[in-house]
Amino acid sequence: MAEMYEMEEITEKVILVGVSTSDSDQARESLDELEELADTAGAVTVGKVIQNLPQIQQGTYIGSGKIAEICNMIADTGATGVICDDELSPAQLKNLEEGLGTKVMDRTLLILDIFAARASTSEGKIQVELAQLKYRLARLVGLRSSLSRLGGGIGTRGPGEKKLEMDRRLIKDRIAQLNRELAEVKRHREVIRTKRSKDHVSVAAIVGYTNAGKSTLLNKMTGADVLEEDKLFATLDPTTRVLELQSGQEILMTDTVGFIRKLPHHLIEAFRSTLEEAKYADMILHVVDASNPQMELQMAVVYETLKDLGVEDKPIITVFNKQDKVQKKETLRDFKADHVLEISAKTGAGLEELKQVLEQVLKEKQILIERVYPYGEAGKIQMIRKFGQLMVEEYRAEGIYVKAYVPVEIYGKVC
């Protein structure tokens, strides 16, 4: 009889390392977020180290004394890796691995690893692989040693060890191929956007810090079936759903990739076509986790990322979500927003008011018309009904009396 063996999945144990260069850089909060990222990637944090330095060490990220201290922590905790809270240069990566004698990763590699695990569509996979290869190309020498020492774990998903063993020319060829594929995806997105524009369909882009509740809000308002999970970057691939408002108007709601502080620039570039959904939207729905102590900082990160993407002059609706988790009620403000509401996507509180605000924003971009159409022009009323807000429709002897709000784009076609 064959002998049975129990296969136990090995959980990585990691030590988190950060550098504080000033009293106001919030290194501890950033390291707490790094712990959440490590948990999302499937690792257990067994220690945290923050070193106060005037500036990050160019050669080793941290000082030699801290390296010795972390070596002792590795021995005491049985840690299988170290994750640094900033993006490491190839030299820092190589020197730290030699000094610590274990696998070393940085925040960027950790986020890329999470994205590799979460991407499910072909577009998402292309974007993640492109970002990973660009990141790893510059660090090929430093990464060889760690990947030859460890057969799996964080940092080895996606392109993997086999692709990293290609020479630089082959990796560059692969990057060029992925860029061509991504350009085709971008063209496809532009065709969809053009069609939406011709159909005069308004789009609201849902943006926010990762884990603010964007997917829960989309699901609750539109009946979408997007994964909801209390983890960073629970969903990666954008989802668009139709929301029908009380007036009968329809609006497309598009969920976007969650933002995070120190978001890797390779990811921003790779996901630019996805993130640009916000740039071409008619309005921005900014979702904020009101229960998070770092709420103000997270809002600043979102606005900074939107600025980098060139998202400007859009009506902004900020919803302070997760009111069901808020312990202490206080006045919430966002001076950059045109409208502010308090909601709970989980319980549904405030969502009817949000729909009313969406209608109001649409109305602000529409023109009020009041006229009598001859019966021979009844087709124009169908266009008003489809793209505008038909408030009054009366059949009279001389024609059809209409009072309605219509988008600027179709005003000339119905008047």
Side-chain angles (χ1 to χ4, degrees):
M1 185 177 175
E3 193 172 351
M4 300 288 289
Y5 293 93
E6 284 191 19
M7 299 296 289
E8 185 179 347
E9 188 176 341
I10 298 173
T11 301
E12 288 196 66
K13 298 178 181 179
V14 295
I15 294 172
L16 310 181
V17 181
V19 172
S20 176
T21 56
S22 69
D23 294 334
S24 59
D25 66 359
Q26 298 177 314
R28 189 165 300 281
E29 290 82 1
S30 185
L31 215 60
D32 289 341
E33 185 175 82
L34 189 66
E35 183 176 6
E36 287 188 69
L37 287 167
D39 176 65
T40 300
V44 174
T45 300
V46 294
K48 294 181 183 179
V49 175
I50 295 178
Q51 183 170 25
N52 296 311
L53 291 171
Q55 60 185 22
I56 291 173
Q57 294 286 332
Q58 288 190 346
T60 54
Y61 182 64
I62 52 176
S64 56
K66 282 294 178 188
I67 291 176
E69 181 184 323
I70 295 169
C71 281
N72 292 331
M73 287 181 68
I74 292 170
D76 293 340
T77 60
T80 56
V82 169
I83 304 177
C84 298
D85 196 33
D86 295 279
E87 187 168 317
L88 299 176
S89 69
Q92 289 170 334
L93 180 66
K94 184 173 181 292
N95 293 336
L96 270 179
E97 286 204 327
E98 289 177 354
L100 296 172
T102 190
K103 177 169 70 170
V104 175
M105 298 160 281
D106 60 16
R107 187 185 185 95
T108 297
L109 184 59
L110 181 61
I111 293 174
L112 288 172
D113 185 85
I114 294 168
F115 271 52
R118 299 279 173 160
S120 58
T121 64
S122 58
E123 178 187 353
K125 289 174 181 176
I126 290 169
Q127 291 167 319
V128 171
E129 184 176 357
L130 182 61
Q132 285 181 314
L133 288 174
K134 283 182 176 180
Y135 170 84
R136 292 180 176 184
L137 180 62
R139 295 160 177 80
L140 196 59
V141 176
L143 283 167
R144 283 182 193 272
S145 59
S146 65
L147 290 175
S148 62
R149 184 166 57 245
L150 288 152
I154 297 171
T156 60
R157 283 187 274 246
E161 185 174 357
K162 184 178 178 182
K163 284 194 175 71
L164 285 174
E165 291 304 318
M166 298 182 205
D167 60 28
R168 292 182 184 276
R169 181 181 60 80
L170 289 176
I171 292 180
K172 287 178 180 178
D173 287 347
R174 178 62 177 159
I175 288 174
Q177 180 186 342
L178 290 171
N179 276 325
R180 287 192 294 271
E181 292 179 22
L182 208 54
E184 187 60 37
V185 169
K186 188 173 182 179
R187 278 193 291 272
H188 179 65
R189 280 192 177 278
E190 287 170 354
V191 168
I192 293 174
R193 288 181 189 131
T194 302
K195 186 177 184 304
R196 287 176 187 168
S197 179
K198 286 181 179 178
D199 290 343
H200 310 292
V201 180
S202 295
V203 179
I206 307 174
V207 305
Y209 208 79
T210 182
N211 204 28
K214 299 186 301 299
S215 297
T216 305
L217 179 62
L218 182 69
N219 287 345
K220 200 77 173 181
M221 293 190 74
T222 67
D225 190 22
V226 181
L227 173 68
E228 299 174 25
E229 199 174 349
D230 190 18
K231 286 194 173 184
L232 304 184
F233 300 116
T235 51
L236 176 57
D237 300 301
T239 305
T240 300
R241 293 290 184 270
V242 177
L243 171 66
E244 184 173 339
L245 300 171
Q246 191 172 2
S247 63
Q249 292 183 94
E250 292 183 347
I251 184 170
L252 291 178
M253 300 191 73
T254 299
D255 191 9
T256 59
V257 178
F259 301 154
I260 196 169
R261 72 180 97 185
K262 303 178 185 177
L263 187 65
H265 67 277
H266 290 313
L267 269 182
I268 292 177
E269 286 305 312
F271 278 79
R272 184 167 288 275
S273 64
T274 303
L275 292 168
E276 280 183 345
E277 286 295 323
K279 184 176 180 179
Y280 296 102
D282 297 284
M283 65 190 80
I284 303 298
L285 183 52
H286 179 195
V287 183
V288 180
D289 180 358
S291 68
N292 194 303
Q294 297 297 305
M295 177 183 67
E296 296 286 346
L297 175 65
Q298 292 181 354
M299 290 170 64
V301 169
V302 169
Y303 281 122
E304 189 63 33
T305 307
L306 289 175
K307 182 180 176 183
D308 291 342
L309 291 168
V311 180
E312 297 174 328
D313 302 325
K314 305 280 184 186
I316 297 174
I317 305 168
T318 294
V319 291
F320 289 98
N321 190 26
K322 302 190 181 181
Q323 291 296 320
D324 53 301
K325 287 187 175 182
V326 174
Q327 301 294 324
K328 183 182 177 183
K329 289 286 183 181
E330 55 185 64
T331 304
L332 300 171
R333 296 185 178 89
D334 181 1
F335 295 108
K336 294 187 177 182
D338 299 279
H339 303 272
V340 174
L341 294 101
E342 296 181 7
I343 69 163
S344 170
K346 185 177 180 180
T347 66
L351 296 192
E352 287 304 316
E353 290 86 344
L354 174 56
K355 290 178 183 178
Q356 291 171 14
V357 170
L358 289 170
E359 293 231 43
Q360 183 180 337
V361 173
L362 286 178
K363 193 176 290 185
E364 288 168 359
K365 300 181 67 177
Q366 295 175 340
I367 299 172
L368 177 65
I369 60 170
E370 192 173 0
R371 59 168 294 177
V372 177
Y373 288 91
Y375 283 100
E377 296 182 8
K380 292 183 178 180
I381 299 173
Q382 283 297 105
M383 185 177 288
I384 294 171
R385 188 177 286 110
K386 183 177 181 181
F387 299 118
Q389 184 179 353
L390 186 59
M391 300 167 69
V392 179
E393 182 181 8
E394 292 179 1
Y395 288 81
R396 300 175 178 177
E398 67 273 24
I400 308 167
Y401 169 76
V402 167
K403 183 177 182 181
Y405 283 95
V406 297
V408 175
E409 295 83 3
I410 71 164
Y411 178 74
K413 298 177 182 179
V414 297
C415 287

